[in-house]
Amino acid sequence: MKLLLPDSLPLEPALPDGVRAVVYDASAPVPEEHRDAEALVVWGSSGDDLAAVAGRMPRLRWVQTLAAGPDVVLAAGFPEHVVVTAGIGLHDRPVTEHALALVLALVRRLPAAARAQAEHRWDGELGGLQPLHPPGQVTTLLGARVLVWGFGNIGQTLAPFLQHLGAEVRGVARRAGERSGFPVVAEDELDAELARTDVLVMILPSTPATANALDAGRLACLPPHAQVVNVGRGSTVDEAALVDALAGGRLAGAALDVTQTEPLPAGSPLWEAPNLLLTPHAAGGRPVGADALIARNLTALLAGGELTNVVQR
């Protein structure tokens, strides 16, 4: 069996006997001489490059994307008989780390401090003696009501950190219940839950059902002191509505690690939106445990067993 590994990160999975690994250029379509491969690992390839070869690899049996969200690979059009597995679990800790950093940056008003530093101005409103809970502001996670919309692996990894810092954490998912010891509300209860939210963290995948999920109507449900953080997919936020809410003072602040168009165009209104912190899709990008996942799924494939994180079979 020929296994194709991308050159976009160092990979050394343990290979069973009879498997030969070939490294390919992830910034281009798989070259003709390697389209006889039976297994393909994807990391950093564009949708166009994947679509260019999706129907031209006749022996292909399995595609492993290292991304937690498999939307790019699924949209490429690999035949239905090709098993596709996602990188769910590989990004839990890096994305959690970044999400927590963005939440704390907003709550502790670090963007305002950075602006004051750039102006060589010691801002007395940001330091010195401060009330713990000033009227109409969220300046601490102590007692803050944090809602995590998209309560999968990453959300459940993030929640205990928020809780340890004093936040009251709830998740939102398709079904209500409890996950990892945290209460989860159903999406049909979302609007009422948003009205009680101080910090909204979004970790939604990109699907037709989640397109512009945070729209003008749902932004209006949030109290004016609320903060929004998105480390999921840019397609899930109505950016025009977000800019309008920030500019109109109907939302205290937001932090986006993802946008609908990436790289973000220089003319996007997001750059100039007040109280908006932007990072360039920096939360993930470093899959942890990729070698072990590839080796486990490869072994299962050869043995006719069940693969991990199957999203197309």
Side-chain angles (χ1 to χ4, degrees):
M1 171 185 278
K2 180 188 290 187
L3 167 70
L4 299 184
L5 298 175
D7 65 356
S8 46
L9 78 166
L11 290 169
E12 294 183 357
L15 300 179
D17 291 341
V19 176
R20 178 170 68 96
V22 175
V23 176
Y24 72 97
D25 180 0
S27 67
V30 173
E32 189 71 41
E33 65 267 26
H34 294 310
R35 293 182 189 175
D36 60 344
E38 295 179 63
L40 170 67
V41 177
V42 175
W43 181 242
S45 295
S46 71
D48 289 343
D49 286 344
L50 292 174
V53 300
R56 300 177 181 177
M57 300 182 69
R59 301 184 63 189
L60 189 65
R61 299 170 56 192
W62 166 54
V63 176
Q64 170 71 64
T65 173
L66 301 183
D71 42 293
V72 173
V73 170
L74 293 177
F78 287 97
E80 291 184 1
H81 70 270
V82 176
V83 177
V84 177
T85 52
I88 299 166
L90 302 183
H91 303 274
D92 294 355
R93 286 176 287 175
V95 176
T96 288
E97 185 177 58
H98 199 80
L100 185 60
L102 294 180
V103 169
L104 289 173
L106 291 179
V107 169
R108 300 313 301 258
R109 298 183 286 181
L110 296 189
R115 289 193 296 270
Q117 180 180 352
E119 298 168 3
H120 295 198
R121 175 172 52 86
W122 187 265
D123 192 337
E125 294 184 2
L126 299 177
L129 304 180
Q130 300 282 327
L132 184 61
H133 297 292
Q137 296 184 62
V138 181
T139 59
T140 177
L141 284 178
L142 291 168
R145 295 161 296 187
V146 180
L147 189 65
V148 181
W149 189 3
F151 207 63
N153 282 35
I154 295 171
Q156 291 170 61
T157 303
L158 173 65
F161 290 97
L162 296 167
Q163 186 181 62
H164 290 327
L165 290 172
E168 174 190 314
V169 183
R170 289 176 176 265
V172 180
R174 285 190 292 271
R175 292 181 297 276
E178 183 178 289
R179 296 188 188 180
S180 300
F182 291 89
V184 175
V185 300
E187 289 179 346
D188 58 8
E189 303 173 47
L190 178 60
D191 289 1
E193 199 63 39
L194 289 173
R196 299 187 288 268
T197 295
D198 298 316
V199 179
L200 172 64
V201 181
M202 300 183 62
I203 320 178
L204 291 173
S206 177
T207 69
T210 63
N212 287 330
L214 186 65
D215 57 13
R218 284 180 168 146
L219 283 164
C221 292
L222 288 163
H225 67 261
Q227 313 267 11
V228 172
V229 171
N230 187 15
V231 292
R233 286 290 185 263
S235 61
T236 64
V237 174
D238 183 332
E239 293 175 352
L242 178 66
V243 170
D244 187 60
L246 290 167
R250 297 185 301 279
L251 185 70
L256 304 179
D257 182 56
V258 288
T259 56
Q260 294 207 8
T261 301
E262 296 179 1
L264 185 64
S268 169
L270 290 174
W271 292 112
E272 303 298 332
N275 301 316
L276 176 61
L277 176 60
L278 290 167
T279 56
H281 206 142
R286 292 155 289 179
V288 177
D291 282 334
L293 178 61
I294 294 167
R296 183 164 65 249
N297 274 342
L298 182 58
T299 300
L301 180 72
L302 294 175
E306 184 66 24
L307 278 69
T308 301
N309 299 339
V310 174
V311 292
Q312 173 178 299
R313 70 172 76 237

